[in-house]
């Protein structure tokens, strides 16, 4: 193998075949090993694979790929993003405490507030855009600081290095959900984070066709502990979906580059529209945390949120727009418009949502690969209709 250092964009394509998984035929794609069990040649010692819950060659290729892309030592592929998150959080024990960003995915909120307390694991939510607030929430028994940045759905920015320093000073681990940025745009392990988590359903896969989660550790010992949890819980990604995710990763560089370029143009357009009250996008200099994000990430990404005056206006906009699908999730080749109040953050009670700034007029837009002129024209006509609805309601 050459000693030439590859760019991450190149590694997206080459990493999965780095281990020469098919040496006999020279196949350019990792084979799909649809086998639950594996014959052992020796009575006294087994080969690297025995049962696919514990290890499968296709999943192994994926796990090595994400570990390389994130700059970690161990990668793990799970059945969903929340399976990756919940498995990582099961590294905690009864009596432990974690501090969690207030702006967090609804499924993570549900697991932390409704499942972990059953095991005697306590939590505190804090504003992670303010490190002093995080510090106030730390207790003697705090073991994990849980970060999302940019966070879902208001794209709040956490100063990763500052929170890592706080964690180290208090003997805590840091977990970071890197779904919005992917390793292409943000490498949290390089900034000292202990575990990086992904809903790989989103940008890493990119085609809205599989459900998958990934986790990466920097430390070997921590990786062994998470590997034990993965094997014990068994929430692993199957071989077919592992293959699909490998293929999705190969095209992510091109997909995310185009989507991000379009997202910037769409954010600029929305930011100048009189009906739009607020645009939340790390690529706008007015965005809270803009400077921090620019320092720790390579790009603002392809997701933005914006606020319309109220639920009725948002409803009119959604019902009038034609190109984006109106659905949960994000990160697909198709633009996906969602309503956090009843979709991604429906698990959070209304008063808690409102505390977090998730208003009834908030919409999240994951920008796909459609031509940006078409997306802007579509938004323009939908906003025109929504404006008329607003005028009628105001009369």
């Amino acid at each position: 193998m050459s000693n030439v250092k590859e760019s991450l964009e190149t590694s997206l394509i080459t990493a999965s075949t780095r281990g020469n998984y098919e040496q006999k035929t020279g196949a350019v794609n990792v084979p799909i090993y649809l086998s639950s069990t594996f014959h052992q040649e020796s009575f006294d010692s087994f080969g690297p694979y025995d049962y696919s819950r514990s290890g499968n060659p296709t999943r192994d290729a994926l796990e090595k790929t994400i570990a390389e892309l994130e700059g970690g030592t161990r990668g793990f592929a799970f059945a969903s993003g929340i399976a990756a998150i919940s498995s990582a959080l099961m590294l905690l024990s009864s009596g432990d405490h974690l501090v969690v960003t207030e702006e967090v995915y609804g499924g993570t909120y549900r697991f932390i507030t409704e499942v972990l307390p059953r095991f005697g694991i306590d939590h505190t939510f804090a504003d992670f855009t303010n490190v002093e607030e995080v510090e106030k929430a730390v207790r003697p028994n705090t073991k994990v600081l849980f970060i999302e940045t940019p966070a879902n759905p208001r794209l709040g920015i956490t100063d990763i290095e500052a929170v890592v320093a706080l964690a180290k000073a208090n003997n805590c681990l840091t977990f970071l959900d890197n779904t919005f940025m992917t390793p292409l745009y943000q490498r949290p392990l390089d900034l000292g984070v202990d575990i990086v988590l992904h809903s790989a359903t989103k940008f890493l896969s990119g085609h809205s066709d599989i459900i998958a989660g990934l986790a990466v550790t920097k430390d070997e010992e921590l990786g062994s502990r998470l590997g034990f949890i993965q094997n014990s819980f068994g929430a692993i990604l199957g071989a077919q979906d592992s293959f699909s995710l490998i293929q999705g990763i190969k095209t992510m560089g091109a997909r995310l580059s185009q989507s991000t370029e379009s997202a910037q143009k769409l954010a600029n357009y929305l930011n100048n529209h009189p009906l739009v009250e607020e645009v939340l996008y790390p690529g706008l200099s007015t965005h809270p945390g803009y400077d921090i994000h620019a320092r720790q990430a390579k790009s603002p990404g392809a997701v933005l949120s914006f606020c319309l005056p109220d639920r009725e206006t948002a409803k009119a906009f959604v019902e009038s727009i034609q190109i984006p699908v109106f659905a949960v999730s994000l990160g697909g080749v198709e633009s996906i418009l969602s309503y956090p109040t009843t979709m991604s953050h429906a698990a959070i009670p209304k008063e808690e949502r409102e505390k977090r700034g998730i208003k009834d007029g908030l919409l999240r837009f994951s920008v796909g690969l459609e031509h940006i002129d078409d997306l802007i024209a579509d938004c323009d006509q939908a906003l025109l209709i929504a404006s008329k609805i607003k005028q009628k309601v105001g009369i």
Side-chain angles (χ1 to χ4, degrees), residues 35-53:
S35 184
S36 61
T37 191
F38 300 85
H39 173 67
Q40 305 302 317
E41 297 289 345
S42 170
F43 181 86
D44 295 313
S45 61
F46 291 171
Y49 306 103
D50 55 13
Y51 189 62
S52 273
R53 171 170 50 78

Side-chain angles (χ1 to χ4, degrees), residues 175-319:
F175 296 178
L176 189 147
D177 187 331
N178 201 30
T179 297
F180 277 25
M181 286 292 99
T182 81
L184 183 64
Y185 288 160
Q186 185 168 266
R187 302 242 301 182
L189 295 182
D190 292 347
L191 301 176
V193 168
D194 295 291
I195 298 181
V196 175
L197 300 157
H198 293 277
S199 174
T201 308
K202 314 301 193 298
F203 290 108
L204 284 160
S205 170
H207 293 82
S208 302
D209 55 354
I210 64 166
I211 302 291
L214 297 170
V216 185
T217 62
K218 189 83 167 184
D219 180 74
E220 287 279 6
E221 188 273 336
L222 184 60
S224 295
R225 288 167 55 197
L226 185 55
F228 176 82
I229 294 291
Q230 183 191 46
N231 191 41
S232 299
F233 279 18
I236 50 91
L237 192 64
Q240 181 73 58
D241 286 347
S242 293
F243 174 84
S244 295
L245 183 49
I246 288 169
Q247 298 304 96
I249 288 171
K250 289 180 180 180
T251 64
M252 186 179 68
R255 288 187 287 103
L256 201 46
S257 176
Q258 181 177 326
S259 289
T260 298
E261 182 180 345
S262 295
Q264 182 71 62
K265 293 177 181 177
L266 183 62
N268 291 336
Y269 160 78
L270 291 169
N271 202 39
N272 290 313
H273 196 285
L275 187 65
V276 178
E277 295 184 341
E278 183 181 27
V279 179
L280 300 157
Y281 181 63
L284 295 175
S285 60
T286 54
H287 186 75
Y290 170 83
D291 292 331
I292 294 171
H293 184 78
R295 186 180 73 235
Q296 66 192 20
K298 291 170 59 179
S299 166
V303 178
L304 58 92
S305 292
F306 60 100
C307 289
L308 295 177
D310 48 39
R311 182 185 181 278
E312 289 71 25
T313 313
K315 182 175 186 287
F317 177 83
V318 169
E319 291 180 346

Side-chain angles (χ1 to χ4, degrees), residues 85 101 103-106 108 128 146-153 156-158 175-178 180 186 345:
I85 290 168
T101 178
E103 191 178 353
V104 71
Y105 165 58
T108 306
F128 270 60
F146 191 100
I147 305 166
E148 265 191 39
T149 186
N152 188 3
I157 303 301
T158 297
F175 296 178
L176 189 147
D177 187 331
N178 201 30
F180 277 25
Q186 185 168 266
H345 291 69

Side-chain angles (χ1 to χ4, degrees), residues 49-66:
Y49 306 103
D50 55 13
Y51 189 62
S52 273
R53 171 170 50 78
S54 303
N56 174 281
T58 312
R59 190 173 85 242
D60 189 41
L62 170 63
E63 291 176 334
K64 285 181 168 62
T65 296
I66 194 59

